[in-house]
Amino acid sequence: SVSSRLGKKTVSIEHLTKSIAGKELIRDFSYQLPRDARIGIVGRNGAGKTTLLRLLHGELQPDSGSVILGDTVQIGYFSQECEKMDPQQRVIDYIRETADRIQTPDGTVTASAMLERFLFTPELQWNRIEKLSGGERKRLYLLKVLITAPNVLLLDEPTNDLDIVTLNVLEEYLQNFKGCVIVVSHDRYFMDKVVDHLLVFNGQGDIRDFPGNYTQYRDWKDAKVHQEKEKEKEAAKAQEDKTAKVRLNEKRRMSFKEKREFEQLEQE
């Protein structure tokens, strides 16, 4: 994989707050990104997941708080929206624009060799971009992000429109990647393979820090829901018992009162 060396100072998020269209998505969030972080971001649509990535990338400015990047940090951002490409440009030229030769741990690799690793045959490399399918364009855009040698990689829904073979290439790439990876995804299988820590957005501005992968989080959440249901059942039963007791006492009181009235009647 291609990456630049990351120093001790990575990314510091300090008291970050951001609202969009009057909705508070992130409230007073602070986080220190570990050097080898493998973080998944989960939550409902519209909860603010992409907003956090855009704040980290610098596309968006926070309402308050700050994102401080270490001196060596180089961010690679793969957004949900594939960047605009010139349909007349050849595939090889699109990559050469960014780098003709790419430094990898195994030595220098040409743009053409890197394209082959990402399943672009020599014939395909000389095709114009207009001839590529949507999935192939996405794969090409992904490669362009990766060859900029980032050491902090932000991936927003990377599995959308990628075929299984490309997904395998990406998973393998991330497993060998020396740097931080932050992924927004609903793909449980992919998340389990590439992340070991989660930031969970609840949609009201709060972000929960969860140590574990997506399946572990779902299991924990299911157990919590089950626990809460059991507590609700117990509370409902306790309430029923209390009501029954009150009724019984009322009944007893009534019969005592009736007895007294009966005795009075007898005397009269």
Side-chain angles (χ1 to χ4, degrees):
S1 74
V2 189
S3 64
S4 310
R5 194 184 157 280
L6 186 58
K8 280 182 186 172
K9 284 190 176 177
T10 56
V11 179
S12 291
I13 301 169
E14 295 179 4
H15 303 289
L16 204 62
T17 295
K18 183 70 182 172
S19 296
I20 288 181
K23 187 184 179 189
E24 192 173 43
L25 298 175
I26 299 165
R27 184 194 314 119
D28 194 26
F29 177 59
S30 296
Y31 195 78
Q32 180 67 45
L33 195 68
R35 275 175 74 173
D36 55 353
R38 290 287 184 276
I39 294 170
I41 298 181
V42 296
R44 292 190 309 277
N45 287 339
K49 305 184 300 293
T50 296
T51 299
L52 180 61
L53 292 193
R54 293 179 69 200
L55 286 163
L56 294 177
H57 189 227
E59 279 181 27
L60 276 182
Q61 293 307 307
D63 297 339
S64 63
S66 54
V67 174
I68 302 158
L69 305 183
D71 293 340
T72 59
V73 169
Q74 279 180 257
I75 290 180
Y77 179 40
F78 178 78
S79 71
Q80 279 186 58
E81 306 304 319
C82 205
E83 73 169 14
K84 282 192 167 57
M85 298 177 176
D86 174 3
Q88 296 306 310
Q89 193 175 27
R90 296 187 193 279
V91 169
I92 184 92
D93 295 330
Y94 174 78
I95 291 299
R96 278 178 176 162
E97 262 182 1
T98 303
D100 192 22
R101 303 187 75 75
I102 299 118
Q103 194 63 46
T104 75
D106 311 321
T108 309
V109 174
T110 62
S112 179
M114 204 67 187
L115 276 161
E116 279 199 61
R117 274 192 206 178
F118 271 71
L119 315 175
F120 289 96
T121 60
E123 299 80 48
L124 255 182
Q125 292 177 25
W126 290 98
N127 270 354
R128 296 188 193 282
I129 285 170
E130 65 185 351
K131 289 190 177 173
L132 299 183
S133 68
E136 284 169 337
R137 285 184 197 203
K138 195 124 193 202
R139 193 195 313 154
L140 187 62
Y141 167 49
L142 176 64
L143 176 57
K144 188 169 189 173
V145 171
L146 297 178
I147 64 165
T148 58
N151 47 32
V152 174
L153 199 49
L154 311 177
L155 302 171
D156 196 357
E157 297 288 359
T159 65
N160 289 2
D161 305 323
L162 290 188
D163 53 49
I164 299 295
V165 189
T166 310
L167 271 178
N168 291 339
V169 173
L170 177 59
E171 280 165 15
E172 192 188 329
Y173 186 93
L174 293 177
Q175 275 153 12
N176 297 314
F177 181 75
K178 305 278 188 286
C180 302
V181 179
I182 303 177
V183 187
V184 170
S185 181
H186 291 98
D187 186 328
R188 181 175 179 164
Y189 180 74
F190 177 77
M191 288 283 257
D192 279 353
K193 277 197 147 185
V194 300
V195 313
D196 55 21
H197 204 99
L198 295 183
L199 294 176
V200 184
F201 281 63
N202 75 351
Q204 274 90 48
D206 292 320
I207 302 170
R208 182 191 171 88
D209 191 6
F210 182 85
N213 64 23
Y214 198 55
T215 295
Q216 288 163 338
Y217 170 68
R218 288 298 295 268
D219 291 347
W220 171 83
K221 200 177 173 189
D222 291 347
K224 195 177 173 216
V225 167
H226 178 71
Q227 213 175 4
E228 280 167 5
K229 277 183 182 170
E230 289 300 310
K231 269 187 191 170
E232 278 171 22
K233 271 186 200 169
E234 280 170 26
K237 191 176 183 303
Q239 187 59 45
E240 273 175 33
D241 292 349
K242 197 177 170 186
T243 307
K245 212 171 180 182
V246 167
R247 280 183 187 151
L248 191 63
N249 286 340
E250 277 174 2
K251 212 171 182 185
R252 278 184 186 150
R253 248 185 261 122
M254 197 65 186
S255 59
F256 179 71
K257 199 177 167 193
E258 281 168 355
K259 195 179 169 192
R260 289 288 302 272
E261 281 178 1
F262 190 65
E263 281 170 6
Q264 264 181 320
L265 277 169
E266 266 189 334
Q267 282 173 3
E268 282 171 19

